[in-house]
């Protein structure tokens, strides 16, 4: 896993992952940014997301580990083929085994789907480390554990990027992992 600093809506990867909520209401954070960059009109991307959720999941919400795929629209200009929506845990500053397991499911669900779709490169934001209030260091360490394990048996995925938005988060992430590799 490579940790990079940047804006995921500008990032070049075949799949980008959205830190969504269970209803795919992309009201804030990276979800809003992705919806805006993809469709221009955020409400239009919410509509597309909900329609795909109904088709792909058969419900109007997703559980941790379930994912919904939407088309990249304007993000195709960055080489993006798929946007994969996954839902991480709400922490509100707390962290325990249950939150960690839910985050693992969210990351793994997106990795599995991307691998199934034949994706070679995938970029994640720090799921749950924003509005959902999970400690960034724990989120980053969980990412590394899941990705390191998954990459051993992935069929198509060659590179996984964790894209941190701020300089401060990037520094914290690198420190939490004891350096980039
Ligand atoms: N590129 C990369 N990372 C970003 C970007 C960006 N353009 N914008 C924000 N981040 P959050 P959550 C970082 O709050 O905690 C939404 O309303 C941000 O700094 O987007 O999983 C959803 O609809 C943070 O480190 O997601 C849900 O309701 C990380 O992305 C809820 O927020 C995740 O922050 C999900 O909360």
């Amino acid at each position: 896993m490579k940790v990079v600093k940047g804006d995921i809506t500008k990032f070049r990867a075949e799949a980008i992952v959205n830190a969504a909520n269970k209803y795919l209401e992309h009201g804030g954070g990276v979800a809003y940014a992705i919806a805006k960059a993809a469709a221009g009109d955020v409400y239009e991307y919410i509509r597309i997301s909900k329609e795909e959720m109904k088709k792909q999941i058969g419900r109007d919400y997703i559980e941790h580990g379930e994912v919904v795929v939407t088309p990249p629209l304007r993000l195709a200009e960055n080489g993006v083929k798929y946007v994969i929506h996954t839902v991480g845990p709400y922490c509100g500053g707390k962290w325990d085994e249950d939150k960690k397991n839910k985050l693992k499911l969210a990351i793994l669900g997106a990795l599995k789907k991307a691998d199934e779709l034949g994706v070679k490169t995938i970029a994640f934001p720090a799921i749950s480390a924003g509005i959902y209030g999970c400690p960034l260091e724990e989120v980053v360490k969980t990412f590394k554990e899941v990705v390191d394990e998954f990459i051993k048996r992935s069929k198509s995925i060659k590179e996984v990027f964790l894209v941190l938005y701020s300089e401060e988060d990037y520094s914290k992430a690198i420190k939490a992992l004891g350096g980039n590799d």
Side-chain angles (χ1 to χ4, degrees), residues 17-153:
V17 178
N18 179 26
N21 57 44
K22 64 193 294 189
Y23 303 110
L24 306 188
E25 299 274 5
H26 313 311
V30 72
Y32 181 90
I34 290 173
K36 181 97 182 138
D41 177 358
V42 172
Y43 291 102
E44 175 58 8
Y45 212 60
I46 293 173
R47 190 193 63 73
I48 293 169
S49 301
K50 286 176 178 285
E51 197 177 284
E52 286 302 325
M53 178 157 60
K54 201 89 205 162
K55 273 195 231 160
Q56 295 169 36
I57 308 288
R59 270 194 254 110
D60 56 5
Y61 66 92
I62 51 171
E63 308 271 14
H64 303 292
E66 293 181 326
V67 299
V68 173
V69 182
T70 53
L73 307 184
R74 295 179 190 174
L75 292 172
E77 286 166 24
N78 302 346
V80 177
K81 294 182 183 160
Y82 309 102
V83 177
I84 301 175
H85 304 266
T86 195
V87 58
Y90 174 82
C91 293
K94 297 196 185 79
W95 184 254
D96 56 25
E97 273 312 297
D98 178 56
K99 315 272 186 215
K100 185 172 176 124
N101 287 333
K102 285 174 176 159
L103 181 60
K104 280 184 170 178
L105 286 175
I107 299 166
L108 203 54
L111 286 170
K112 280 186 183 161
K113 178 58 80 177
D115 208 38
E116 216 176 280
L117 292 166
V119 161
K120 290 194 279 298
T121 52
I122 180 167
F124 284 85
I127 298 167
S128 288
I131 294 165
Y132 279 1
C134 302
L136 181 83
E137 287 86 349
E138 298 299 340
V139 167
V140 169
K141 283 194 264 178
T142 306
F143 259 98
K144 181 152 171 63
E145 278 177 38
V146 176
V147 171
D148 282 356
E149 193 53 39
F150 185 83
I151 211 84
K152 292 182 199 159
R153 55 191 161 85

